[in-house]
Amino acid sequence: MAMLAQPAQAAVHNVKNYGAVGNGSANDTAAINRAITAANEAGGGIVQFPSGTYRSPNSIHMKSNVTFQLDAGSTIMGAGGSGYDPPEPNQWDDFQDYGHSHFHNAMIWGDRLTNIGFVGSGTIDGGGALITGNPSSGQADKIISLTRCENLTVSGIKLRRGGHFAMLINGCKNVVSDKLVIDTASDRDGWNVISTTNVTITNGNFAGNDDALAFKSDYALGQKLTNGNVRVYDTKLSAGCCNALMFGSETCGDFTGYDFQRIDIKGSNKSGLGLVSMDGARISDVHYKDITVSGVRSPIMLKVGARKRCGNNPGVGTISNITYDNITISGASPSFSPTIMGDPGGHVSDVTFNNVKITVPGGNGTMSTNPPSNDPKNYNPNSIGTRPAYGWYIRYADRIKFVNSSVDFNSNDGRPAVIANSSSDITFENFSVEKGTSSPFDVGFQSVNGYCFRGPGSPRINATGSTEKCTVGNDFQIAVDPPSRTVQPGETASYAIRTAAISGSPGPISLDAENVPVNTVVQFNPAQVQPGESSTMTVATLPSTPNGTSNITVTGTAGPVSHTATAVLTVGSGGQLEVGDLAVADTANAGDWSIQANLRTGVAQYGDRAFTFTTVPAEIAGATWIRTANDSKSATQNPLVRFTINRDALVYVAVDTRSGKRPWMDNLWLDTGLQLVNNEGSPKTFQLFAKGFPAGEVALGPNAASGSNYSVILE
């Protein structure tokens, strides 16, 4: 994630030098704003708050290239009255709640800012004066309110008594937070991250009354914006009335690329882990791992609704490619069963639960096993009537898999442990259930096309209008990354073919391709892989290959089992690959980075060294590439470099073999087996890792290691 780009010796502007008193009673707002303006006009700087209480009954206007440094013992304190800025008009008010639609009625606000921060060990406190509902003109309902910001750091400080929101950001990118404390347990939301990309939150401690940490996408800025590339690690969350870790309810733009690890949730009267698509959003690639949840009414809830409260006539969204690994949950009484509820027009699909163990209070009597009521315009867990299963209730879902998981109760329950309805490919492998003494059965499948249940204790299975699909003991899955490529006639396209075991021990997987366009050759390297390994599929076109789009069918076969995936190849209409908007966070060496054409032997690898390439693999010869600075090898900014591509492309990162694969490279980065070599003293070898990226921005992390800095190649 991008860090603040402050000058190495940023000037410090002590607010007391601008007239602030810090005695808790004087109005220090004007002095604070003067210090901000001075720092901004100087090209950037630090606004320092020494120990003291700085009363601010008026809005503080944040500006670019300014960092608040709150020293130990310092507090910026909100106040009652009618001195805060009035809410700005918003023609898109009808598409979200009032609090999400207006941003100026806050203690601190800013729009279209870059390189800003709130750091130190002090506190920003609403003082009990901020409004939790809709404020009147002159009242504030937020502590920090930021729109369309870039490069934001919020670390070390504490936010208290935030009114409706301790912090609300919308349309931002490149956000870093470490050791942030939020205490709005007496008010409402902790932090709402809305329509924001590139976020890293670590070591947080957020206690909210409404939502503690929520990811949303609304229409407050007059457009649907994308969301994603978010990491939340080592963070504690709790919520009073509502949700602890939540997606929604505002869900206009699509969400993709979320990673939650080592999260501890204590208390939530709605969802512990909530994920809803209510306004047409496609939510995908969300991963939860090593999470402990206790004292929640709704342990896990995934729901696709049809509220459609967004501009541009949204349809019904979807939820897909979600994983839960090593999750332990104990629910509170009364409870809502863990639920997967899709919509007839938008199913929940491709969700895997691995080592997910849920204990619910139980205590319900026997009831009908028919589907419960469901309000498609309401995202709350109580929008679905009492579930007919005490454990998992699943409806309108496809390809849902549970592995080494369980549900049980504290008090005997008369409902089955699991019911799946109107779904397909629902699989339970080594899934254990606690049996209610008066339940009609333990696991039920109602109108499920392809179910399988394997677990200890001989549970009673009831299947109505359903077909069993347990004949395959050894199974695997196959995927294409990226799913589509665009080339000109005569060029080649590379795809990573990724495999994974689903059950048992499938043997080697042989790969083949069908529906290949004419005058095109497909090769796999290797042509046979073990489950969990990847292969590179190279599609070589000729100058005579006709323009158009083809859906190449990639088939993997292991014994009697075959699965397919689709690789989309467009020939001729994508145009030449263009790389632009190069931005390097290592400002000291950024001038030595540059975009280059025609990668070949004999050209200088770095902008600050004379070393040249002596070996360039044929697969990348002639490619567009980025000449980096070797002196950036120890930089730690994440991302270190960002750039844009005008079409889908395969990005190679050539890493010094003495360093190996970098920690920020996820499992989608494929070791290609290719190597670059330079003439640095004793020649140095660079291992090529590749990953497909769609058109748009690409962000790469730091080298942050000894040896030589990496190089970047694109095709």
Side-chain angles (χ1 to χ4, degrees):
M1 298 301 118
M3 302 295 288
L4 288 181
Q6 295 287 0
Q9 299 295 326
V12 176
H13 300 263
N14 188 322
V15 293
K16 290 191 173 182
N17 294 335
Y18 293 84
V21 180
N23 63 2
S25 58
N27 184 345
D28 287 328
T29 307
I32 295 170
N33 281 328
R34 285 193 293 268
I36 293 171
T37 299
N40 169 262
E41 291 180 348
I46 295 169
V47 173
Q48 180 187 23
F49 293 82
S51 178
T53 299
Y54 301 86
R55 180 172 170 269
S56 183
N58 313 107
S59 294
I60 296 169
H61 302 146
M62 195 64 174
K63 297 185 178 182
S64 292
N65 302 314
V66 174
T67 296
F68 274 24
Q69 177 182 303
L70 287 95
D71 294 345
S74 67
T75 299
I76 304 173
M77 184 68 70
S82 58
Y84 292 104
D85 290 350
E88 74 281 18
N90 190 337
Q91 68 188 84
W92 301 291
D93 234 341
D94 293 339
F95 295 115
Q96 54 278 320
D97 294 343
Y98 184 92
H100 290 95
S101 297
H102 304 280
F103 306 97
H104 293 184
N105 49 344
M107 282 183 63
I108 305 169
W109 69 266
D111 180 45
R112 302 182 190 276
L113 305 183
T114 59
N115 301 326
I116 57 175
F118 302 86
V119 303
S121 55
T123 300
I124 308 178
D125 190 342
L130 303 192
I131 306 303
T132 58
N134 294 347
S136 302
S137 183
Q139 295 179 318
D141 66 347
K142 318 167 184 67
I143 292 178
I144 298 175
S145 173
L146 299 168
T147 48
R148 293 167 283 219
C149 63
E150 182 174 359
N151 299 344
L152 165 67
T153 296
V154 187
S155 295
I157 67 168
K158 183 175 185 178
L159 304 179
R160 296 187 65 232
R161 296 184 289 186
H164 195 160
F165 308 96
M167 183 157 51
L168 177 72
I169 63 174
N170 194 326
C172 295
K173 61 181 180 180
N174 303 335
V175 179
V176 174
S177 175
D178 185 54
K179 298 183 177 66
L180 172 66
V181 176
I182 296 178
D183 180 7
T184 57
S186 61
D187 292 43
R188 287 187 66 179
D189 287 25
W191 189 356
N192 275 207
V193 181
I194 303 178
S195 299
T196 292
T197 58
N198 300 343
V199 180
T200 296
I201 299 172
T202 54
N203 302 300
N205 192 337
F206 307 155
N209 182 31
D210 201 310
D211 296 339
L213 177 60
F215 296 92
K216 305 178 181 181
S217 181
D218 59 27
Y219 208 70
L221 300 180
Q223 57 183 320
K224 295 180 184 179
L225 298 172
T226 57
N227 311 260
N229 191 23
V230 173
R231 307 290 180 264
V232 181
Y233 300 147
D234 304 297
T235 291
K236 298 178 180 179
L237 303 172
S238 66
C241 81
C242 300
N243 306 289
L245 179 56
M246 185 67 183
F247 279 79
S249 71
E250 292 78 12
T251 43
C252 284
D254 294 340
F255 299 75
T256 186
Y258 288 76
D259 186 20
F260 303 104
Q261 295 190 34
R262 300 179 299 279
I263 310 295
D264 183 18
I265 295 174
K266 286 186 169 61
S268 170
N269 205 39
K270 290 183 181 177
S271 295
L273 302 176
L275 200 164
V276 302
S277 173
M278 299 299 299
D279 307 309
R282 294 173 296 177
I283 304 177
S284 63
D285 192 21
V286 180
H287 307 285
Y288 302 87
K289 184 177 182 181
D290 299 332
I291 296 177
T292 302
V293 182
S294 61
V296 295
R297 287 193 67 192
S298 175
I300 295 176
M301 178 171 165
L302 299 92
K303 179 176 180 177
V304 176
R307 181 176 62 184
K308 304 181 183 180
R309 190 177 69 170
C310 187
N312 295 333
N313 300 313
V316 176
T318 59
I319 296 173
S320 64
N321 188 24
I322 316 296
T323 62
Y324 298 81
D325 289 281
N326 305 328
I327 315 292
T328 302
I329 302 179
S330 60
S333 183
S335 67
F336 298 106
S337 304
T339 302
I340 301 175
M341 174 66 80
D343 183 89
H347 282 205
V348 178
S349 63
D350 300 292
V351 183
T352 300
F353 300 88
N354 178 43
N355 192 31
V356 175
K357 303 183 185 301
I358 299 178
T359 300
V360 300
N364 282 53
T366 303
M367 61 176 289
S368 169
T369 59
N370 291 331
S373 60
N374 174 42
D375 180 356
K377 295 185 178 181
N378 188 337
Y379 72 95
N380 289 302
N382 64 5
S383 66
I384 305 170
T386 301
R387 285 57 153 179
Y390 78 78
W392 282 100
Y393 183 72
I394 304 168
R395 193 172 196 206
Y396 300 131
D398 306 305
R399 298 179 298 282
I400 311 299
K401 186 176 182 64
F402 297 82
V403 180
N404 300 326
S405 299
S406 65
V407 290
D408 57 25
F409 49 65
N410 291 324
S411 298
N412 187 36
D413 200 292
R415 297 170 293 173
V418 175
I419 290 180
N421 176 278
S422 300
S423 300
S424 65
D425 293 326
I426 309 298
T427 303
F428 296 83
E429 289 281 354
N430 191 29
F431 189 91
S432 62
V433 302
E434 189 164 5
K435 302 175 182 179
T437 57
S438 60
S439 62
F441 49 83
D442 300 314
V443 178
F445 298 99
Q446 304 165 344
S447 301
V448 174
N449 181 17
Y451 71 85
C452 179
F453 189 97
R454 293 188 176 103
S458 301
R460 297 166 296 160
I461 308 295
N462 179 276
T464 304
S466 302
T467 57
E468 187 176 13
K469 187 181 178 182
C470 276
T471 56
V472 178
N474 300 318
D475 202 1
F476 66 93
Q477 62 186 12
I478 185 172
V480 175
D481 176 40
S484 64
R485 294 295 311 275
T486 300
V487 296
Q488 296 302 304
E491 295 180 346
T492 62
S494 296
Y495 302 78
I497 310 302
R498 309 192 187 283
T499 67
I502 295 178
S503 62
S505 301
I509 301 169
S510 298
L511 300 172
D512 196 8
E514 298 177 330
N515 302 325
V516 178
V518 297
N519 296 333
T520 301
V521 177
V522 175
Q523 290 184 327
F524 293 92
N525 183 24
Q528 189 178 77
V529 296
Q530 295 294 329
E533 295 179 347
S534 296
S535 174
T536 298
M537 182 178 77
T538 302
V539 183
T541 67
L542 299 176
S544 57
T545 302
N547 291 346
T549 298
S550 302
N551 294 327
I552 300 174
T553 301
V554 180
T555 302
T557 303
V561 183
S562 292
H563 290 292
T564 62
T566 300
V568 180
L569 176 69
T570 299
V571 179
S573 61
Q576 185 70 25
L577 174 64
E578 296 178 3
V579 182
D581 299 326
L582 181 66
V584 180
D586 178 21
T587 55
N589 298 293
D592 290 320
W593 292 60
S594 60
I595 299 169
Q596 300 288 318
N598 190 18
L599 178 66
R600 60 197 186 279
T601 58
V603 297
Q605 181 177 10
Y606 301 112
D608 57 351
R609 297 289 192 278
F611 314 140
T612 62
F613 291 117
T614 58
T615 299
V616 174
E619 291 85 347
I620 57 173
T624 300
W625 60 292
I626 295 177
R627 176 177 285 150
T628 64
N630 199 31
D631 283 345
S632 293
K633 62 187 178 183
S634 300
T636 58
Q637 294 96 328
N638 192 358
L640 175 62
V641 59
R642 293 182 289 120
F643 54 88
T644 58
I645 50 179
N646 67 323
R647 61 169 173 81
D648 297 348
L650 197 65
V651 178
Y652 295 84
V653 175
V655 182
D656 192 323
T657 54
R658 295 172 294 177
S659 303
K661 189 175 183 180
R662 300 291 75 217
W664 50 266
M665 291 181 173
D666 58 26
N667 58 9
L668 296 181
W669 284 93
L670 172 68
D671 182 355
T672 65
L674 304 175
Q675 293 182 334
L676 285 169
V677 181
N678 72 9
N679 64 352
E680 177 188 352
S682 57
K684 302 300 183 294
T685 302
F686 296 80
Q687 187 175 8
L688 283 160
F689 296 92
K691 179 178 178 179
F693 285 85
E697 184 177 85
V698 177
L700 304 177
N703 187 71
S706 59
S708 301
N709 193 25
Y710 61 67
S711 296
V712 182
I713 301 96
L714 306 99
E715 66 167 15

